[in-house]
Amino acid sequence: AKIQYDATFAKLQPKLDDKSLEMPSGGKDFGRSALAAPSDAKAKMAALLKDKYGDQAPEGVVAPDDEAAVAATEAVAEAKRTLPYVVGARATYQGVRDLMQGRLGATTWDDPAALAASIAQLVGDLKGKDWPVTDKTSINTGRRDVGTRMLSPIAQVTRANAASVLKGDPELVKLTG
């Protein structure tokens, strides 16, 4: 979760620095922003709406996954506020359904075939007693660098490209058309 949070803030920080993006929620600290479980997102969003936004809603929400994204939109809808642009991750059934219905703005897709190929390569490397080829500095846990093999690219999924990006998943692609 911390790695995902840091990657998100790496993209947002320049906008915060040049003041083209504001964060009234104060959610710039991982400890204050993290969710114990995606299901906590609804209560957290309801509290933010009450405490930080008055009768308004945020213009955008970046959620750690589709479950949290959907929960955040439910809280906004229940508070009868304008739905923000919400981005989830991991292209779940509910997330893609809400994306196609206009409640989510985007999600992400990790191609399971590419992941399976990467895992097979890793297992083959280990079976042959070769240490897997990794990027030795791509992930830092705060205590040490951890060698990784990143799956790339993770695709952004929007209503416009959902059918083509999700074509490898027969259940999700049904939601797109």
Side-chain angles (χ1 to χ4, degrees):
K2 176 81 165 82
I3 294 165
Q4 182 181 3
Y5 181 86
D6 289 345
T8 300
F9 260 87
K11 296 289 186 185
L12 295 177
Q13 194 60 53
K15 300 285 187 188
L16 292 166
D17 291 344
D18 73 12
K19 308 234 187 286
S20 62
L21 177 67
E22 294 179 24
M23 195 168 287
S25 67
K28 298 175 191 173
D29 175 72
F30 177 74
R32 291 182 58 204
S33 299
L35 301 169
S39 58
D40 296 338
K42 187 173 184 178
K44 188 163 193 157
M45 177 56 76
L48 284 171
L49 290 170
K50 181 181 174 213
D51 297 341
K52 301 289 184 181
Y53 288 95
D55 61 352
Q56 302 296 311
E59 292 180 37
V61 174
V62 178
D65 56 37
D66 285 352
E67 185 180 353
V70 169
T73 63
E74 288 171 355
V76 173
E78 287 174 10
K80 299 187 182 353
R81 312 280 173 85
T82 301
L83 194 63
Y85 189 88
V86 179
V87 177
R90 299 188 189 99
T92 66
Y93 187 89
Q94 186 176 14
V96 173
R97 183 199 66 207
D98 282 17
L99 172 74
M100 299 312 293
Q101 293 175 355
R103 290 190 292 269
L104 291 188
T107 187
T108 61
W109 171 250
D110 307 359
D111 182 355
L115 179 58
S118 184
I119 290 169
Q121 179 65 46
L122 180 65
V123 170
D125 290 350
L126 291 171
K127 186 177 177 183
K129 304 207 186 300
D130 293 328
W131 188 251
V133 176
T134 60
D135 176 350
K136 302 236 184 285
T137 60
S138 63
I139 302 294
N140 184 292
T141 65
R143 293 184 185 167
R144 65 184 177 113
D145 289 333
V146 177
T148 59
R149 184 179 290 166
M150 302 299 272
L151 179 61
S152 182
I154 295 174
Q156 178 179 350
V157 183
T158 64
R159 287 175 75 187
N161 73 0
S164 64
V165 173
L166 300 174
K167 66 185 174 201
D169 187 305
E171 293 304 310
L172 294 179
V173 81
K174 286 179 191 175
L175 297 171
T176 66

